Amino acid sequence: MTTFTNKTTVHLSRERTWQWFQEPAALSRMFPPWMKITLGKEDEKAALGATRHITMHFACFSKKWIAKIVQYKEPELFIDEQVQGIFRSWSHQHLFHSPSPSQCEVEDIIEYETPWFLPKVLFSGFVKKELERTFSYRNRVLEADLDVIKRYEQESPLRVLISGASGLVGSELSSFLSAAGHQIFHLVRRQSKSPHEIYWNPEKKELNPEEIEGFDVLVHLSGENIASGRWTESKKRRLYDSRIVSTTTLINAFEKVTKKPKVFLCASAVGYYGSQGDSLLTESSPAGQGFLADLCQDWEAKAAKAKAFARVVHMRFGVILSPRGGALAKMLMPFSFGLGGILGNGRQYMSWISIDDLVYQIYHCICTNSVEGPVNFAATKAVSNYDYTKTLGKVLGRPTIFPVPKPVANLVFGEMAKETMLSSTRVVPQVLNDSQAQFYYPTLESALKHLLGR
């Protein structure tokens, strides 16, 4: 039997920390993004006898892990044990100590036996290393999540409706808000399967106003993926319609409800500014030129019609960093094999933000009444493509000697390369800075090390 111990202190009361751990969504927040897992939708809140269902995906196979809570004492401890999984035995004690009324020390004690079919001397070292890596990540998320929750503590849970909830941003935001104790509902394009799903069909302008009564917050993230495929004329029409038509459908439906949301956060992008070299761009900078700039302008103009009933925030997203999707996920394979390199001349600026900071800043905008209008969702310091490439290579411990020349990028990706990969957008998050928002991963290296567990 091998024992692993971990401790971390959070600045939230033991009772409130305990509540966070009871939510099934908290489990999703604590799993590192480099691990390929699927959480069971049937999972219950933590309680004696409750189970957790996790499917772990490896290179060529998957393994189901089921753990059951066998001991539960609120708000001091709960213990779960493996019912089905890869270990011969596994027991995880979650202990909650109260060093002060405003702090909680979370202690994890894991006892496990390695599988009989794997060499213990080799497998034990691997498990210990992965546990240290995983819990280091979990400690950072736990401390940051609970710090944000404490800073913006609400008198009562918010009712939040999210479109595009299955996407990269929507899924992370849903998990964070659910674990924070809010009531989260999703707009889905199929027949709803749970009380927290509401059917809509934006292309046909179908959304029943009676089903969207009483929401405090509306977050609109729906839209076809910008980076999937070449920008043919039909692709650009789909990109445009998936944003403009869906926004129109939402606003028209909410104009008919009695209790309207107090805040409407609608996605946009730093593509609003176009390519502007090394110029520093704030929310007051003029729009640029090109398809993306035009699309963002039209999208924000359409979303602004919600000002008649809500505080409107135009979320101008930079490049979102996460191993689970987006640009970073696509780069990991070639960079991990030492096949990464700069794009074009490497001098173009890239405005980026880690997925965790993005979620925190969305919550900041939800809870900060003074924030409205366009908001740049980007880290405080944009980096050149050269610096991004070298930093990612450094974090991964790989060389970056295979450049992608501009003609090759244009040939392979066409107009999309010109307006995304080769575009230079050096954004400053002025509104977030002025409203005292906090970034937990302010530098590119700290963000990549956090997300990749390095």
Side-chain angles (χ1 to χ4, degrees):
M1 184 76 72
T2 305
T3 301
F4 172 84
T5 302
N6 172 77
K7 290 182 181 181
T8 188
T9 300
V10 298
H11 297 283
L12 200 65
S13 70
R14 179 170 68 170
E15 288 71 23
R16 188 66 184 88
T17 303
W18 173 271
Q19 290 174 15
W20 188 86
F21 268 87
Q22 306 317 293
E23 295 291 337
L27 187 63
S28 175
R29 290 294 297 161
M30 289 187 288
F31 266 102
W34 62 82
M35 295 178 67
K36 306 299 182 184
I37 65 162
T38 303
L39 299 178
K41 295 183 181 298
E42 70 274 24
D43 285 348
E44 317 154 70
K45 285 192 174 186
L48 186 63
T51 56
R52 293 286 184 264
H53 298 74
I54 303 164
T55 302
M56 308 186 74
H57 305 281
F58 302 96
C60 55
F61 72 98
S62 298
K63 180 65 178 177
K64 189 142 189 174
W65 182 313
I66 301 176
K68 182 177 181 180
I69 296 178
V70 296
Q71 193 170 340
Y72 185 92
K73 183 179 181 181
E74 181 178 353
E76 298 176 12
L77 67 88
F78 65 93
I79 302 173
D80 56 69
E81 294 182 353
Q82 174 187 288
V83 175
Q84 177 182 332
I86 196 170
F87 292 88
R88 276 186 287 178
S89 66
W90 172 282
S91 175
H92 185 174
Q93 299 179 49
H94 307 255
L95 307 175
F96 299 82
H97 310 294
S98 183
S100 75
S102 60
Q103 286 185 317
C104 178
E105 182 186 74
V106 181
E107 182 180 10
D108 300 273
I109 302 175
I110 298 174
E111 297 179 323
Y112 61 90
E113 289 183 283
T114 57
W116 61 269
F117 55 85
L118 291 173
K120 183 175 181 180
V121 65
L122 297 177
F123 193 68
S124 292
F126 170 77
V127 172
K128 181 181 178 181
K129 182 178 178 180
E130 286 304 301
L131 283 173
E132 290 173 347
R133 185 181 177 207
T134 297
F135 274 87
S136 178
Y137 172 87
R138 197 188 87 156
N139 291 347
R140 292 191 299 271
V141 169
L142 180 60
E143 292 167 12
D145 274 21
L146 297 189
D147 185 51
V148 172
I149 290 169
K150 181 179 181 179
R151 178 178 293 119
Y152 304 106
E153 192 71 74
Q154 302 295 300
E155 292 183 2
S156 58
L158 297 171
R159 283 171 53 85
V160 183
L161 180 62
I162 303 175
S163 76
S166 61
L168 175 63
V169 177
S171 57
E172 293 289 347
L173 180 64
S174 294
S175 295
F176 171 78
L177 292 176
S178 294
H182 300 297
Q183 301 172 23
I184 310 305
F185 296 77
H186 297 164
L187 287 170
V188 296
R189 297 170 187 250
R190 49 168 172 73
Q191 291 303 314
S192 56
K193 297 179 180 179
S194 81
H196 287 261
E197 293 183 342
I198 298 173
Y199 169 77
W200 77 321
N201 188 326
E203 288 78 15
K204 295 182 179 180
K205 300 179 175 58
E206 295 178 351
L207 178 58
N208 186 352
E210 294 180 1
E211 296 187 23
I212 55 174
E213 280 279 359
F215 283 100
D216 301 300
V217 180
L218 171 59
V219 184
H220 183 31
L221 301 169
S222 184
E224 184 164 336
N225 189 346
I226 288 284
S228 61
R230 290 175 66 92
W231 286 1
T232 62
E233 289 305 313
S234 60
K235 170 70 172 181
K236 289 198 287 188
R237 174 49 57 184
R238 293 196 304 274
L239 290 173
Y240 188 90
D241 288 347
S242 67
R243 288 158 172 79
I244 307 302
V245 174
S246 62
T247 304
T248 301
T249 299
L250 279 174
I251 293 175
N252 289 345
F254 273 98
E255 285 176 340
K256 299 174 184 176
V257 305
T258 302
K259 183 183 177 183
K260 297 174 172 58
K262 300 172 185 176
V263 57
F264 174 38
L265 299 98
C266 185
S268 184
V270 297
Y272 174 94
Y273 305 105
S275 184
Q276 299 201 36
D278 61 357
S279 298
L280 287 172
L281 305 169
T282 69
E283 289 84 355
S284 60
S285 298
Q289 297 180 339
F291 170 71
L292 273 186
D294 292 342
L295 172 57
C296 290
Q297 289 179 75
D298 290 351
W299 197 5
E300 292 185 12
K302 186 63 66 176
K305 294 184 180 298
K307 288 181 180 179
F309 60 83
R311 172 169 59 91
V312 176
V313 176
H314 306 293
M315 301 184 291
R316 293 178 182 169
F317 294 151
V319 176
I320 302 166
L321 300 185
S322 171
R324 291 191 174 123
L328 178 59
K330 293 179 180 179
M331 293 178 181
L332 281 179
M333 179 69 77
F335 272 75
S336 295
F337 284 100
L339 301 176
I342 64 170
L343 296 172
N345 60 25
R347 293 195 295 269
Q348 67 273 25
Y349 274 93
M350 168 182 159
S351 296
W352 62 275
I353 188 169
S354 74
I355 184 64
D356 290 304
D357 271 332
L358 180 75
V359 167
Y360 300 148
Q361 304 313 345
I362 291 177
Y363 195 47
H364 171 80
C365 291
I366 289 173
C367 301
T368 308
N369 292 330
S370 62
V371 174
E372 61 181 323
V375 178
N376 291 334
F377 280 73
T380 53
K381 185 178 180 180
V383 297
S384 69
N385 175 262
Y386 176 88
D387 288 337
Y388 175 84
T389 299
K390 295 305 177 183
T391 303
L392 179 55
K394 175 184 175 182
V395 171
L396 292 174
R398 296 292 186 272
T400 53
I401 57 176
F402 291 92
V404 179
K406 181 177 178 180
V408 174
N410 285 329
L411 178 64
V412 175
F413 300 103
E415 185 179 1
M416 183 183 72
K418 177 183 177 182
E419 296 207 22
T420 57
M421 302 160 60
L422 302 174
S423 179
S424 184
T425 311
R426 190 182 182 188
V427 159
V428 177
Q430 195 65 55
V431 172
L432 292 176
N433 290 340
D434 290 346
S435 59
Q436 307 300 310
Q438 181 173 340
F439 288 85
Y440 289 81
Y441 308 100
T443 68
L444 180 63
E445 187 169 347
S446 68
L448 290 174
K449 285 183 175 180
H450 166 67
L451 292 167
L452 302 177
R454 303 284 175 161

